[in-house]
Short mmCIF file of all heavy atoms in Angstrom, two decimals:
data_model
loop_
_atom_site.label_atom_id
_atom_site.label_comp_id
_atom_site.label_asym_id
_atom_site.label_seq_id
_atom_site.Cartn_x
_atom_site.Cartn_y
_atom_site.Cartn_z
N ALA A 42 13.45 5.21 -2.71
CA ALA A 42 14.88 5.01 -2.41
C ALA A 42 15.71 6.25 -2.74
O ALA A 42 16.58 6.66 -1.97
CB ALA A 42 15.41 3.76 -3.10
N ALA A 43 15.43 6.82 -3.89
CA ALA A 43 16.18 8.01 -4.33
C ALA A 43 15.92 9.21 -3.41
O ALA A 43 16.83 9.95 -3.04
CB ALA A 43 15.77 8.38 -5.78
N ALA A 44 14.64 9.37 -2.96
CA ALA A 44 14.31 10.45 -2.11
C ALA A 44 15.05 10.37 -0.77
O ALA A 44 15.53 11.33 -0.22
CB ALA A 44 12.79 10.49 -1.84
N ILE A 45 15.10 9.12 -0.24
CA ILE A 45 15.82 8.88 1.00
C ILE A 45 17.31 9.19 0.83
O ILE A 45 17.93 9.82 1.70
CB ILE A 45 15.61 7.41 1.48
CG1 ILE A 45 14.16 7.21 1.84
CG2 ILE A 45 16.52 7.13 2.67
CD1 ILE A 45 13.82 5.75 2.13
N ASN A 46 17.84 8.76 -0.29
CA ASN A 46 19.28 9.00 -0.56
C ASN A 46 19.60 10.49 -0.68
O ASN A 46 20.63 10.98 -0.20
CB ASN A 46 19.69 8.27 -1.89
CG ASN A 46 21.17 8.30 -2.09
OD1 ASN A 46 21.96 8.04 -1.23
ND2 ASN A 46 21.58 8.62 -3.35
N TYR A 47 18.68 11.23 -1.35
CA TYR A 47 18.88 12.69 -1.45
C TYR A 47 18.88 13.34 -0.07
O TYR A 47 19.69 14.23 0.17
CB TYR A 47 17.77 13.28 -2.31
CG TYR A 47 17.86 12.95 -3.77
CD1 TYR A 47 16.71 12.77 -4.56
CD2 TYR A 47 19.11 12.76 -4.40
CE1 TYR A 47 16.79 12.43 -5.89
CE2 TYR A 47 19.18 12.42 -5.76
CZ TYR A 47 18.04 12.25 -6.48
OH TYR A 47 18.06 11.92 -7.84
N GLN A 48 17.97 12.93 0.80
CA GLN A 48 17.93 13.52 2.12
C GLN A 48 19.22 13.26 2.90
O GLN A 48 19.73 14.13 3.60
CB GLN A 48 16.70 12.97 2.90
CG GLN A 48 15.35 13.39 2.33
CD GLN A 48 15.17 14.87 2.42
OE1 GLN A 48 15.55 15.56 3.34
NE2 GLN A 48 14.53 15.44 1.38
N ILE A 49 19.73 12.01 2.74
CA ILE A 49 20.98 11.67 3.41
C ILE A 49 22.13 12.55 2.91
O ILE A 49 22.96 13.05 3.68
CB ILE A 49 21.30 10.18 3.21
CG1 ILE A 49 20.28 9.32 3.94
CG2 ILE A 49 22.73 9.87 3.70
CD1 ILE A 49 20.41 7.84 3.65
N GLN A 50 22.17 12.72 1.59
CA GLN A 50 23.24 13.56 0.97
C GLN A 50 23.14 15.00 1.46
O GLN A 50 24.17 15.59 1.75
CB GLN A 50 23.12 13.54 -0.52
CG GLN A 50 23.53 12.17 -1.17
CD GLN A 50 23.47 12.26 -2.66
OE1 GLN A 50 24.03 13.17 -3.27
NE2 GLN A 50 22.82 11.28 -3.30
N LEU A 51 21.94 15.54 1.59
CA LEU A 51 21.78 16.93 2.05
C LEU A 51 22.28 17.08 3.47
O LEU A 51 22.90 18.05 3.83
CB LEU A 51 20.29 17.37 1.93
CG LEU A 51 19.81 17.67 0.50
CD1 LEU A 51 18.33 17.95 0.49
CD2 LEU A 51 20.56 18.89 -0.10
N VAL A 52 21.93 16.12 4.33
CA VAL A 52 22.38 16.12 5.71
C VAL A 52 23.90 16.11 5.80
O VAL A 52 24.52 16.82 6.59
CB VAL A 52 21.72 15.00 6.50
CG1 VAL A 52 22.35 14.90 7.91
CG2 VAL A 52 20.24 15.21 6.66
N GLU A 53 24.46 15.23 4.99
CA GLU A 53 25.95 15.10 4.98
C GLU A 53 26.62 16.42 4.50
O GLU A 53 27.63 16.82 5.03
CB GLU A 53 26.38 13.97 4.07
CG GLU A 53 26.04 12.57 4.63
CD GLU A 53 26.36 11.45 3.65
OE1 GLU A 53 26.62 11.76 2.44
OE2 GLU A 53 26.36 10.27 4.06
N LEU A 54 26.00 17.05 3.47
CA LEU A 54 26.53 18.35 3.02
C LEU A 54 26.41 19.42 4.06
O LEU A 54 27.36 20.21 4.25
CB LEU A 54 25.78 18.75 1.75
CG LEU A 54 26.06 18.01 0.47
CD1 LEU A 54 25.15 18.44 -0.62
CD2 LEU A 54 27.51 18.25 0.03
N GLU A 55 25.30 19.42 4.81
CA GLU A 55 25.13 20.42 5.86
C GLU A 55 26.16 20.21 6.95
O GLU A 55 26.77 21.17 7.49
CB GLU A 55 23.73 20.33 6.45
CG GLU A 55 22.63 20.86 5.48
CD GLU A 55 21.23 20.60 6.01
OE1 GLU A 55 21.13 20.09 7.17
OE2 GLU A 55 20.24 20.95 5.36
N ILE A 89 20.81 18.55 -6.11
CA ILE A 89 20.01 17.59 -5.37
C ILE A 89 18.58 18.11 -5.23
O ILE A 89 17.62 17.30 -5.41
CB ILE A 89 20.63 17.33 -3.98
CG1 ILE A 89 21.91 16.53 -4.13
CG2 ILE A 89 19.62 16.57 -3.08
CD1 ILE A 89 22.65 16.32 -2.78
N ASN A 90 18.42 19.40 -4.95
CA ASN A 90 17.06 19.96 -4.79
C ASN A 90 16.32 19.92 -6.10
O ASN A 90 15.08 19.66 -6.14
CB ASN A 90 17.19 21.43 -4.32
CG ASN A 90 17.52 21.52 -2.88
OD1 ASN A 90 17.08 20.71 -2.06
ND2 ASN A 90 18.29 22.54 -2.48
N VAL A 93 15.20 16.34 -6.53
CA VAL A 93 14.08 16.06 -5.62
C VAL A 93 12.78 16.61 -6.19
O VAL A 93 11.80 15.87 -6.18
CB VAL A 93 14.33 16.75 -4.22
CG1 VAL A 93 13.08 16.67 -3.38
CG2 VAL A 93 15.47 16.02 -3.50
N LYS A 97 9.56 14.43 -7.38
CA LYS A 97 8.21 14.64 -6.83
C LYS A 97 7.18 14.61 -7.96
O LYS A 97 6.10 14.11 -7.84
CB LYS A 97 8.16 15.95 -6.07
CG LYS A 97 8.81 15.89 -4.73
CD LYS A 97 8.69 17.24 -4.02
CE LYS A 97 9.40 17.23 -2.67
NZ LYS A 97 9.30 18.58 -1.98
#
Side-chain angles (χ1 to χ4, degrees):
I45 294 172
N46 188 46
Y47 290 146
Q48 291 300 322
I49 293 173
Q50 288 184 50
L51 285 174
V52 171
E53 290 176 346
L54 286 173
E55 289 175 3
I89 290 175
N90 285 324
V93 168
K97 286 180 180 178

